Amino acid sequence: MVERGSKVKSVLISQDLSCVGQVSMAVALPVLGAAGLRTAALPTALLSTHTGGFGANTYLDLSPEIPGIMDHWASQDISFDAVYLGYLGQEALDVWLTELPKLAGRLILLDPAMADHGKLYRGFDAGYVARMGELAQHAALLTPNLTEALLLLGQPVEKHERIDRKEAFEIVSLLQAKFDLDQVVLTGVPVGTAEIGVFGFSRWDGFWDSVQARVPGSYFGTGDLFASALMAGLMHGFHLQQAAETAGAFVAKSIAKTAPDQDPRFGPNYAAALPWLLGQFLEK
């Protein structure tokens, strides 16, 4: 939240809080807070673990609290410079469809966390994808992975395993046009057997891409790390491509610094790479 007279920028983070597993809120809060931003948390649900590989997790829906919390903030003249939405869930997505238009004019980053590797996450369906598309129309920046992008465009997800640069830019262009977005970042695009790319667009700088060697290892939470670092970069004044390249390098360094025997369900060792990330902001 913004205090009068303060130059510290503020970010409202709304996504689930998983008690175990470095994903969603458990990643966004420490990364953005360490980056020198004033964070506010609006959890959409409380989970015993994230939904990837821990079995039947508990799930407590917190979405009924969101309107009352936001009304209280409004009564106290509490506002935010930016909004970062991640994994929401069925009920919270419906609430945000009502609440997000009230926050127009801010930097709104929507990470439509709902699918990967050609499949929707457990508990989501075609109706959820359609409502996520409605929510995307109120975002300033959309950051889907390839599977999420294809679902939002109504395209077959079978080609999620590998695409070429031309196809990636076509997807970015279609997303921008369909949802009338100022900025798009297509993340984690497999463009070769040993490469992974990020493809983007902004109204001010046009199209761009950044491709790097794939670091061995696959962990939960890397998308959340990327989106959090991306938001941090933008709030520090980076242009979109610079922020995305910094975020991608941060994720790669986090994976590289993770012990080989680390259980992938617990995510990469991002804390070991955090000093590097913060150094990028200090150098600016």
Side-chain angles (χ1 to χ4, degrees):
M1 65 190 69
V2 177
E3 295 179 358
R4 289 181 173 81
S6 173
K7 294 183 179 180
V8 177
K9 293 185 177 180
S10 58
V11 181
L12 168 59
I13 305 164
S14 188
Q15 45 195 270
D16 77 281
L17 176 58
S18 294
C19 298
V20 169
Q22 295 183 122
V23 301
S24 299
M25 188 79 74
V27 165
L29 279 174
V31 170
L32 289 168
L37 302 170
R38 194 179 308 282
T39 58
L42 191 52
T44 59
L46 180 67
L47 287 69
S48 55
T49 67
H50 63 69
T51 60
F54 284 110
N57 58 281
T58 66
Y59 185 97
L60 176 63
D61 176 31
L62 300 177
S63 62
E65 298 296 318
I66 294 176
I69 291 171
M70 295 188 70
D71 286 345
H72 179 221
W73 287 342
S75 73
Q76 299 301 307
D77 196 27
I78 297 172
S79 62
F80 310 94
D81 296 305
V83 180
Y84 168 24
L85 303 181
Y87 184 103
L88 298 176
Q90 297 275 6
E91 294 80 7
L93 192 156
D94 290 337
V95 173
W96 271 112
L97 278 170
T98 298
E99 298 294 335
L100 196 57
K102 301 175 185 178
L103 298 172
R106 295 163 177 79
L107 171 60
I108 298 175
L109 187 160
L110 173 60
D111 180 11
M114 59 181 178
D116 203 359
H117 303 297
K119 298 187 297 184
L120 283 164
Y121 294 152
R122 188 173 74 231
F124 294 159
D125 55 18
Y128 189 86
V129 175
R131 298 199 306 282
M132 184 63 75
E134 294 179 38
L135 193 64
Q137 297 176 47
H138 301 287
L141 168 58
L142 188 69
T143 63
N145 61 36
L146 180 56
T147 298
E148 291 159 350
L150 294 172
L151 287 168
L152 287 169
L153 292 172
Q155 295 189 11
V157 297
E158 285 75 15
K159 60 181 180 181
H160 71 91
E161 294 183 354
R162 189 184 307 171
I163 61 174
D164 59 32
R165 282 177 165 83
K166 180 180 178 181
E167 291 174 310
F169 279 125
E170 287 176 351
I171 290 171
V172 170
S173 180
L174 289 170
L175 287 170
Q176 188 280 324
K178 181 173 182 177
F179 302 112
D180 191 26
L181 297 159
D182 289 335
Q183 301 179 102
V184 181
V185 175
L186 180 64
T187 69
V189 180
V191 293
T193 56
E195 293 181 315
I196 192 162
V198 175
F199 293 77
F201 167 84
S202 80
R203 290 191 188 276
W204 305 278
D205 301 314
F207 291 91
W208 53 267
D209 70 306
S210 176
V211 178
Q212 63 185 45
R214 186 189 300 270
V215 180
S218 179
Y219 299 90
F220 285 91
T222 53
D224 300 315
L225 280 177
F226 179 91
S228 299
L230 177 69
M231 174 61 90
L234 293 173
M235 297 302 283
H236 276 277
F238 288 13
H239 58 74
L240 185 61
Q241 182 176 355
Q242 181 185 15
E245 290 176 345
T246 300
F250 172 56
V251 173
K253 291 178 182 296
S254 297
I255 295 173
K257 290 179 177 294
T258 303
D261 59 350
Q262 165 75 34
D263 186 332
R265 296 176 300 175
F266 294 103
N269 183 16
Y270 76 88
L274 200 54
W276 176 87
L277 178 66
L278 303 186
Q280 307 311 298
F281 304 144
L282 291 174
E283 290 176 6
K284 184 180 180 300

